[in-house]
Amino acid sequence: MPTIEDPIVHIDGISKSFGRTVALQKLDMKIDPGEFVTFLGPSGCGKSTTLRILGGFAQPDSGRIVLGGEDVTRLPPNKRKVNMVFQDYALFPHMTVTRNVTFGLELKRMTRDRIAARVDELLSFLELDAFRDRFPDQLSGGQRQRVALARALAPDPDLLLLDEPLGALDARLRAQVQLELKDIQRRTGKTFFFVTHDQDEALTMSDRIVVMNQGRVEQDGTPEDLYLRPKSRFVAEFIGETNLLSGPVRHAEDDRVAIDWFGMQIEGRAFDRTPRPGDVVTAALRLEKVGFYDARPETGNAVPGRVVNRVFKGSRTAVDVRVGDAGAAILKAYVDRDVPDDVWLGWESANLAVLQD
Amino acid sequence: MSTTSRSETAADTSRRPASGKGDAPTFWGRLSHSGPYRAVTDYVFGSTRRQFVLLAAFPIFWVLFAHLGPILQMIRVSFLDSYPPSVGHTPQFTLDNWRTFFTEVIFLRPFFRTLVFSVVLTFATLVLVYPVAYFLSRHVKRDNQMLLLLLLLIPFWVGEIVRTYAIMILLGNTGAVNLILKALGLIDQPVAFMYTNFSLGFGIVYLTSLYMLMPLYSALEKIPQTFSEAAADLGAGPWTRFRRVILPLSLEGISSGCTLVFLISTGLYATPILLGGPSTTLFSETIAGFFHVAGDEWPTGAAFSTIMLLTALVLSGTFMKLMGALQKGGRK
Amino acid sequence: MTRNTRILMSIIYWAFVVYLFVPLVLMILMGFKDSKFIGFPIKSWTLDWYVGVFRDTEVISVFIYSTTIAIASTAISLTVGTWISVLLAGRSFFGRTVILGLTILPAVIPGIISAISFRIFARLLGVETGMFAIIWAHAVHNVPFVALVVMARLATLPASHTEAAMDLGADRFVSFFRITLPYLKPALIGAGVFCMLLSFDDFVRSFFLGGYEPTLPVLIFSKLRSGMSPEINAIATVVLIMTAVLGIWAERSMRRMGKGT
């Protein structure tokens, strides 16, 4: 239950370099019990290093890891109440499903009876009863992933680490497993620390997403926050498809910011820090938030334009619309019907997020 | 949970007798929580440095003592005037053993015979085995490759002595070859194959050919089939394809196969005794001679062994360097 | 490649097989000859030589002696070779190349020199010639082969497997014995059988380090020096069949396990 409790994990100012490459710069983070936190970012952003430091496979150069109130920074993996689902699952090839799940329980000095009960419980929870005597190479990708999950959950860890565990699955299966994983997390109430470079995965499953870039946190928030209210150009471009609109600020009041964009007056929202008039700012506008109108819409922002390119994508069509003074700018948008070449584009001010950089 | 409370609970349970099955932890659980085991592992894994030292100490000791020690001691003995030490005489340093080699011609002949023999036979083995390795790796389906390779491995597992004996029976005066030649009416009197350079060479090739096959096979097998197809596509004929594509890419296999066969040939002892004659004495027999007589000949034998070892290693080292340069040169 | 070269190549291969097998087949046939005199043609056949071999207590005790040496030296080689591999595989440290080179050293020293150096070293250590000296020499000589095979196998063990073991509460000992060692099993079986064969077949080291009791190759050698006899063929054939069977068995079980993992 995410109530007012102490954080289960406290990442306290950790830094890590490999030679001259800086992997993490003073990362601070608190994770509450029962949260599904996703670290999202491109490869080399530091997300995997954070995961390995939490697991005990790497030591930070400075900073501490506090787990359930105990400083575990120097503890080896086998002395931490943290378990991990590896990217390649790392199922022991010479052991059956049951033996794999048993492995961690044996080392907790549990009695055989209790081990058997716990294994039964986990295997039926993850619908693996039928495969208990199979070896890993006799299982499908999805089954292996569930065995890895069962094995990691078995010792009842305080924190479960998941290192891109869906990467090896094909696209169709992945969508299904995402929902399963979220469901399992909810039912067990465990704290999940999930690492991925896939924005879909992150948006589908997480309670909270941390976007990482070059060893730093770019933004930390709910999926809605990140998607609709990105703080930086990096986040806006990394998650979803977006138009970036740059121009000088005409005037700003509270969170309302009026921008001059190629001679068009548009209004957006600053969710963090309100810029001053004269500042040149960039604002992000999601493709699907752009509406098409035959005549000038009455509310919100509106600009006239001319469709210059159409790409058919099945359920919808991606269009490029030339707008502004002498058609100086292009807005990309999605439309699910036929539109004439000359159109009006419109969107709510709340959907134009003014970025911090 | 702190470390102290953990070791206390571990101590409690280790005192409890492991009875029954269901209500007892498994072997690994009991082991990893037992007091003495905890104490040992906590110490060993206490620091990565200590862990590494404990892991590395034995292998380092072993390779220095057991691998390098005998060679160093042999070199040391080669500079002593007597060994094994006899009562009342402390071995003194001397260069006489080394001098003997360069001053007495009767030792130089078997030495150079051994080198020439080994080089010639290595080359002969290469020429003989290359087509076999080529065929196996490039003209046989992958599943069958292993089967055909296994067929060649069977004689390989049979030892040096047994195989040498087989050659004696093949080439003897009343051996199979002479029998066939007589039956064909080609000869009246048996040909004296045995105890000659021929019988010795034949036997050595017979013994070493598999050591050539293995490196050649694994080098050739790694070359993708598409390479020679690409060369053919660009208009290269079979000979050009082999010379410009396959051969340069198999140089590494040639290099290690030849080195292996050369080193083995120089070290053979039983084969030259059984298949060779007085005119084919090899250096290994010379060296062994110093150890069959009691006492003071050991240092000379040690010096001769050292000379043989240095020569063999320098020659094969130079050869491998040259082959390496050839490979790199081809890449430019 | 053209059809003709293909055929030519396959002829060369089979000629090579014939070359390897014919001497051995002839040797086996000679063991059934009903005469004390070695040589062709074989006019009448007998099993007497084999009966003699299995009744000969000397041959049987020598066989047991050789087997004991092979098993003991193989056990040492496997332990040491695996230990060295674990140190060298996937780790870089100062002096690693030197240790690797020294590990391989016994494999590149020509046989006679290896035997001589062991003989001198045994004298230095005060080890009497005989079983222990031979076991030690065979063990040292075979360590490089074990190390090479085990290092190759270790290189294919994903780091995540031992990490997963540690993650689940295993320390490095437990992780080695429960994860790494089972993974190495095919390599250890292959290397072990190879070591047994090398030890069992070895002549030069056994000859120079042997005491009064000969190993099988040394026995055959000394019998040969006093004259060829079908009795030797019978002994050699028994040795041949056993080594071949052991070799094929190891090859098969390695392959089957290689597929399993």
Side-chain angles (χ1 to χ4, degrees):
Chain A
M1 284 156 270
T3 50
I4 323 153
E5 277 181 66
D6 289 332
I8 192 88
V9 183
H10 182 189
I11 299 172
D12 186 5
I14 55 169
S15 299
K16 175 84 181 170
S17 308
F18 298 102
R20 300 180 69 183
T21 325
V22 179
L24 283 177
Q25 296 182 53
K26 280 209 154 296
L27 179 71
D28 280 301
M29 176 107 355
K30 285 186 175 140
I31 298 171
D32 289 327
E35 259 194 305
F36 194 128
V37 179
T38 298
F39 266 47
L40 175 66
S43 62
C45 70
K47 60 188 193 301
S48 296
T49 307
T50 312
L51 179 102
R52 292 183 64 80
I53 288 175
L54 282 172
F57 301 108
Q59 293 281 316
D61 299 334
S62 61
R64 301 185 309 152
I65 300 288
V66 180
L67 198 73
E70 188 194 357
D71 183 346
V72 298
T73 318
R74 301 285 151 198
L75 282 187
N78 50 328
K79 301 204 169 165
R80 295 184 184 200
K81 285 199 76 182
V82 173
N83 288 118
M84 177 146 153
V85 175
F86 287 79
Q87 193 167 10
D88 60 355
Y89 308 142
L91 297 179
F92 306 133
H94 58 290
M95 294 184 188
T96 59
V97 169
T98 310
R99 300 289 296 162
N100 263 287
V101 179
T102 308
F103 191 91
L105 299 173
E106 284 185 67
L107 292 164
K108 290 190 79 181
R109 214 186 69 245
M110 275 168 82
T111 62
R112 287 173 202 275
D113 291 342
R114 284 184 53 211
I115 291 175
R118 177 80 177 136
V119 171
D120 285 345
E121 182 194 345
L122 278 160
L123 292 186
S124 64
F125 178 63
L126 289 162
E127 292 162 34
L128 287 164
D129 303 273
F131 312 108
R132 33 190 330 147
D133 295 323
R134 295 230 188 139
F135 285 93
D137 61 353
Q138 299 166 320
L139 299 173
S140 72
Q143 289 160 355
R144 279 184 214 179
Q145 191 263 340
R146 293 213 298 279
V147 175
L149 197 60
R151 189 178 70 175
L153 283 170
D156 198 23
D158 288 343
L159 174 67
L160 191 77
L161 306 174
L162 300 105
D163 185 7
E164 306 209 19
L166 310 184
L169 307 177
D170 63 57
R172 194 178 287 256
L173 188 58
R174 202 181 302 178
Q176 178 200 335
V177 173
Q178 284 171 12
L179 297 176
E180 282 176 11
L181 206 55
K182 177 67 193 164
D183 184 51
I184 288 163
Q185 189 265 338
R186 236 190 343 250
R187 282 159 63 194
T188 55
K190 289 276 165 218
T191 313
F192 275 32
F193 184 96
F194 191 93
V195 155
T196 185
H197 63 266
D198 185 315
Q199 39 146 333
D200 279 344
E201 266 170 41
L203 294 172
T204 310
M205 293 186 289
S206 320
D207 297 325
R208 180 175 156 202
I209 299 176
V210 179
V211 180
M212 298 278 292
N213 184 31
Q214 297 182 335
R216 292 174 191 277
V217 174
E218 284 280 341
Q219 192 169 353
D220 176 353
T222 63
E224 291 80 13
D225 273 342
L226 270 111
Y227 191 79
L228 296 175
R229 295 176 283 279
K231 279 185 186 170
S232 65
R233 189 186 283 258
F234 178 83
V235 175
E237 286 184 316
F238 193 76
I239 298 175
E241 289 175 288
T242 201
N243 291 294
L244 290 177
L245 286 53
S246 289
V249 174
R250 273 298 164 88
H251 60 86
E253 196 186 331
D254 298 332
D255 61 346
R256 292 173 176 273
V257 181
I259 303 166
D260 178 74
W261 185 53
F262 293 105
M264 296 169 283
Q265 303 305 309
I266 55 175
E267 191 184 83
R269 298 285 171 87
F271 296 102
D272 213 34
R273 177 168 51 82
T274 311
R276 278 172 308 196
D279 289 354
V280 174
V281 295
T282 303
L285 177 62
R286 294 289 169 197
L287 267 62
E288 67 277 9
K289 298 294 181 190
V290 180
F292 284 77
Y293 303 92
D294 298 331
R296 182 180 180 114
E298 313 214 329
T299 57
N301 294 290
V303 292
R306 187 178 175 80
V307 174
V308 290
N309 195 22
R310 290 182 171 85
V311 179
F312 178 66
K313 299 219 169 177
S315 63
R316 56 192 182 175
T317 303
V319 291
D320 295 347
V321 185
R322 204 168 269 290
V323 293
D325 295 341
I330 288 203
L331 262 186
K332 291 172 177 294
Y334 283 127
V335 64
D336 52 7
R337 60 187 165 93
D338 282 335
V339 284
D341 283 354
D342 289 304
V343 288
W344 276 90
L345 300 178
W347 62 89
E348 298 296 324
S349 313
N351 288 327
L352 184 67
V354 178
L355 305 174
Q356 299 295 310
D357 57 352
Chain B
M1 210 191 290
S2 75
T3 333
T4 35
S5 74
R6 270 193 194 182
S7 52
E8 274 162 22
T9 50
D12 286 343
T13 47
S14 63
R15 252 179 266 129
R16 191 197 303 153
S19 62
K21 272 211 149 182
D23 59 351
T26 63
F27 169 77
W28 294 104
R30 283 206 307 274
L31 175 77
S32 58
H33 287 261
S34 77
Y37 181 84
R38 277 312 260 278
V40 171
T41 47
D42 280 351
Y43 175 76
V44 171
F45 302 124
S47 79
T48 37
R49 197 187 163 78
R50 187 183 300 148
Q51 204 177 306
F52 178 75
V53 168
L54 287 170
L55 175 67
F58 175 70
I60 291 174
F61 164 76
W62 176 276
V63 293
L64 289 179
F65 175 78
H67 291 193
L68 192 59
I71 302 297
L72 291 182
Q73 172 66 1
M74 179 179 82
I75 295 171
R76 192 178 78 89
V77 167
S78 77
F79 291 109
L80 297 179
D81 64 347
S82 74
Y83 199 89
S86 50
V87 188
H89 175 77
T90 323
Q92 301 294 317
F93 175 83
T94 177
L95 286 174
D96 285 350
N97 309 311
W98 287 69
R99 210 170 284 136
T100 312
F101 175 78
F102 296 100
T103 48
E104 308 222 5
V105 186
I106 51 161
F107 297 133
L108 284 176
R109 283 184 74 89
F111 179 74
F112 284 110
R113 186 182 292 129
T114 302
L115 291 185
V116 172
F117 229 83
S118 301
V119 169
V120 170
L121 290 180
T122 302
F123 186 71
T125 313
L126 174 66
V127 172
L128 176 76
V129 170
Y130 198 100
V132 178
Y134 186 88
F135 171 76
L136 263 184
S137 59
R138 312 195 64 76
H139 287 292
V140 179
K141 271 189 237 133
R142 207 140 266 272
D143 297 348
N144 296 342
Q145 275 184 20
M146 281 299 136
L147 211 66
L148 293 187
L149 208 58
L150 192 65
L151 193 63
L152 299 181
L153 277 175
I154 293 169
F156 182 57
W157 289 321
V158 180
E160 176 190 356
I161 296 290
V162 173
R163 285 204 283 160
T164 305
Y165 181 45
I167 296 293
M168 290 168 76
I169 290 173
L170 181 76
L171 295 181
N173 281 354
T174 53
V177 175
N178 271 316
L179 180 81
I180 292 167
L181 289 178
K182 213 185 245 173
L184 292 174
L186 292 172
I187 52 166
D188 297 327
Q189 287 299 307
V191 181
F193 291 117
M194 279 301 292
Y195 315 117
T196 61
N197 281 326
F198 174 77
S199 61
L200 183 52
F202 190 89
I204 291 179
V205 172
Y206 185 65
L207 283 177
T208 56
S209 49
L210 261 295
Y211 287 100
M212 182 69 85
L213 183 79
M214 281 311 179
L216 279 182
Y217 169 77
S218 55
L220 284 167
E221 181 224 30
K222 272 187 230 143
I223 308 172
Q225 203 79 46
T226 46
F227 280 20
S228 64
E229 283 165 13
D233 189 53
L234 296 168
W239 171 243
T240 318
R241 288 207 296 270
F242 174 73
R243 202 174 55 83
R244 299 285 302 275
V245 180
I246 306 294
L247 193 62
L249 287 173
S250 62
L251 278 183
E252 203 184 321
I254 295 178
S255 161
S256 44
C258 287
T259 308
L260 209 55
V261 168
F262 176 77
L263 290 172
I264 292 169
S265 321
T266 53
L268 285 173
Y269 172 63
T271 311
I273 290 185
L274 293 174
L275 295 180
S279 63
T280 65
T281 311
L282 292 187
F283 204 57
S284 58
E285 297 171 79
T286 313
I287 292 174
F290 294 110
F291 289 85
H292 289 320
V293 288
D296 283 342
E297 302 274 16
W298 280 32
T300 319
F304 281 32
S305 297
T306 310
I307 290 167
M308 186 78 243
L309 178 64
L310 286 178
T311 315
L313 290 184
V314 166
L315 278 179
S316 45
T318 316
F319 173 73
M320 285 183 88
K321 270 252 159 67
L322 281 175
M323 294 297 277
L326 203 60
Q327 250 173 299
K328 263 190 205 140
R331 228 176 272 154
K332 267 176 206 160
Chain C
M1 194 126 314
T2 62
R3 219 181 115 80
N4 284 338
T5 26
R6 221 192 140 88
I7 291 168
L8 182 72
M9 298 284 265
S10 92
I11 290 173
I12 291 176
Y13 169 82
W14 288 108
F16 188 69
V17 172
V18 169
Y19 166 71
L20 287 182
F21 275 88
V22 160
L24 293 175
V25 171
L26 292 177
M27 189 209 71
I28 293 171
L29 288 180
M30 198 61 79
F32 296 98
K33 187 182 178 183
D34 190 8
S35 155
K36 248 194 112 49
F37 177 69
I38 289 281
F40 290 96
I42 301 172
K43 296 217 171 72
S44 62
W45 306 80
T46 179
L47 278 174
D48 287 353
W49 300 111
Y50 283 89
V51 176
V53 166
F54 287 111
R55 284 204 185 132
D56 189 338
T57 48
E58 194 204 350
V59 172
I60 291 178
S61 77
V62 166
F63 175 78
I64 292 170
Y65 184 65
S66 276
T67 311
T68 313
I69 290 173
I71 291 173
S73 68
T74 300
I76 299 173
S77 300
L78 286 179
T79 312
V80 178
T82 307
W83 195 327
I84 294 177
S85 309
V86 170
L87 172 69
L88 294 181
R91 197 180 265 117
S92 61
F93 54 90
F94 179 76
R96 183 185 179 275
T97 333
V98 177
I99 295 179
L100 180 64
L102 286 177
T103 303
I104 308 302
L105 183 70
V108 301
I109 293 176
I112 181 76
I113 296 161
S114 150
I116 295 299
S117 68
F118 284 133
R119 178 76 191 84
I120 295 173
F121 202 55
R123 182 67 187 72
L124 175 78
L125 301 178
V127 178
E128 289 296 319
T129 53
M131 185 161 81
F132 290 108
I134 301 177
I135 290 175
W136 166 68
H138 286 182
V140 173
H141 179 252
N142 294 345
V143 162
F145 303 106
V146 177
L148 287 175
V149 173
V150 172
M151 272 195 280
R153 177 79 180 164
L154 267 182
T156 66
L157 171 67
S160 63
H161 285 204
T162 45
E163 283 180 357
M166 291 199 71
D167 186 61
L168 293 165
D171 59 48
R172 284 180 193 277
F173 279 139
V174 175
S175 147
F176 176 78
F177 282 105
R178 297 201 64 190
I179 307 302
T180 312
L181 213 52
Y183 187 80
L184 292 178
K185 205 162 139 195
L188 290 175
I189 288 181
V193 170
F194 191 61
C195 286
M196 298 252 292
L197 294 176
L198 282 178
S199 166
F200 203 74
D201 289 340
D202 176 71
F203 170 76
V204 73
R205 274 160 285 266
S206 307
F207 183 71
F208 281 95
L209 290 165
Y212 295 106
E213 215 175 336
T215 64
L216 257 177
V218 175
L219 178 77
I220 297 175
F221 178 79
S222 59
K223 277 181 187 286
L224 272 178
R225 297 224 74 185
S226 54
M228 303 206 305
S229 143
E231 185 207 355
I232 304 175
N233 292 61
I235 301 173
T237 305
V238 174
V239 175
L240 184 155
I241 288 170
M242 282 190 322
T243 48
V245 166
L246 192 61
I248 293 173
W249 173 79
E251 199 69 26
R252 275 181 56 113
S253 56
M254 257 171 79
R255 193 133 305 141
R256 208 175 302 142
M257 243 177 281
K259 269 183 196 154
T261 46

